[in-house]
Amino acid sequence: LDKLILEGLSLKELTDPEFRAHAKELGLGSAKKARARGLSYSKGGYGIALLKGRVGRDIDAVDVVLHEIGHTAMARMIRDGGPEMDEIRGLATSEEGRTAMREMVKQMHGGKFTQEAKKQLAYFTKDPDEFVAAWFSYTMMARTLDDSATIAAAYKKSGNWGQALSNIVRKIAA
C-alpha cells in the first residue's frame, strides 16, 4: 500500500455510545444489530472508526481494518472520477458478474460454498461495494500469508468481472 491510501485518514477507537452516535450521524443503521466492529466514512474527511473492545486482536481485527480501508479507497476513487467503480457495479448486475462473485465468495470460504458463504453472496449481490471491500481485505491478507495462487486462480475463473475487480484492487494497493 502506498502512503496515499492512508494519507489524511483519521483512525478513531470509540466507545459503544460514541460508535452508535457516529453511525447515526453518518446515516447508518444499528451497529449493534449488525454486530459491526468498524466503520468507514468519507463525509467530512476520510476515516475509520473502530469499536473499542469489539475489534479484538485476532486475524479478524486485521480483516475489519483492511475492509474499511478498502471502503475509504473506493470513496476516493469515486471522488477522483475513476471509472473502475462504475464498471464493477455494472458487472455485478450481470450473470457473468454474479457467477464470478459466487466463485470469489467460495474462495473466501476455503473453496467451499457454505451456508455462511450463501448469506454473504446474497448480501454482496445487493451491495457490490461491500463485496469489493471484502475482496480487497481478503486479497491483502492472502498476499501477506503468501497465498497469491488462490487469488490469481479466482481472477482467471472470473473473466471480465475478475479483471475489473483485479484492476480496482491493484489501484487501491498500488
Side-chain angles (χ1 to χ4, degrees):
L1 301 174
D2 75 8
K3 67 178 180 138
L4 290 180
I5 196 169
L6 300 174
E7 193 173 296
L9 189 67
S10 171
L11 180 61
K12 302 174 187 175
E13 188 175 39
L14 305 174
T15 63
D16 190 48
E18 292 169 329
F19 191 84
R20 279 185 282 150
H22 198 67
K24 186 176 179 181
E25 179 185 319
L26 294 170
L28 302 174
S30 169
K32 191 170 187 174
K33 282 183 187 173
R35 298 185 333 238
R37 300 191 309 168
L39 60 85
S40 56
Y41 56 91
S42 57
K43 184 178 177 181
Y46 294 95
I48 297 173
L50 303 174
L51 181 54
K52 190 174 190 164
R54 197 185 287 182
V55 172
R57 297 189 183 278
D58 58 4
I59 194 73
D60 288 342
V62 174
D63 183 31
V64 169
V65 172
L66 286 170
H67 181 98
E68 299 307 335
I69 287 173
H71 277 302
T72 59
M74 286 186 289
R76 286 182 174 168
M77 265 192 246
I78 292 166
R79 178 201 67 194
D80 295 344
E84 296 88 357
M85 289 307 298
D86 288 337
E87 181 180 6
I88 204 73
R89 287 172 176 157
L91 283 168
T93 62
S94 72
E95 187 62 35
E96 175 193 6
R98 286 189 298 276
T99 300
M101 191 182 294
R102 185 185 193 283
E103 186 61 35
M104 290 177 168
V105 169
K106 185 171 105 177
Q107 287 299 323
M108 292 165 66
H109 288 268
K112 296 178 179 142
F113 197 68
T114 62
Q115 285 293 62
E116 183 61 30
K118 187 177 180 179
K119 287 179 194 172
Q120 241 184 359
L121 179 62
Y123 175 64
F124 292 154
T125 302
K126 293 176 190 166
D127 191 346
D129 289 10
E130 283 297 322
F131 173 73
V132 174
W135 184 256
F136 170 75
S137 176
Y138 176 75
T139 301
M140 294 300 104
M141 288 193 300
R143 285 182 182 176
T144 301
L145 300 171
D146 200 23
D147 188 18
S148 56
T150 301
I151 305 300
Y155 285 144
K156 188 174 181 177
K157 284 183 179 179
S158 301
N160 292 335
W161 202 83
Q163 185 59 49
L165 187 58
S166 174
N167 291 340
I168 288 174
V169 170
R170 190 173 332 173
K171 189 167 183 176
I172 291 172

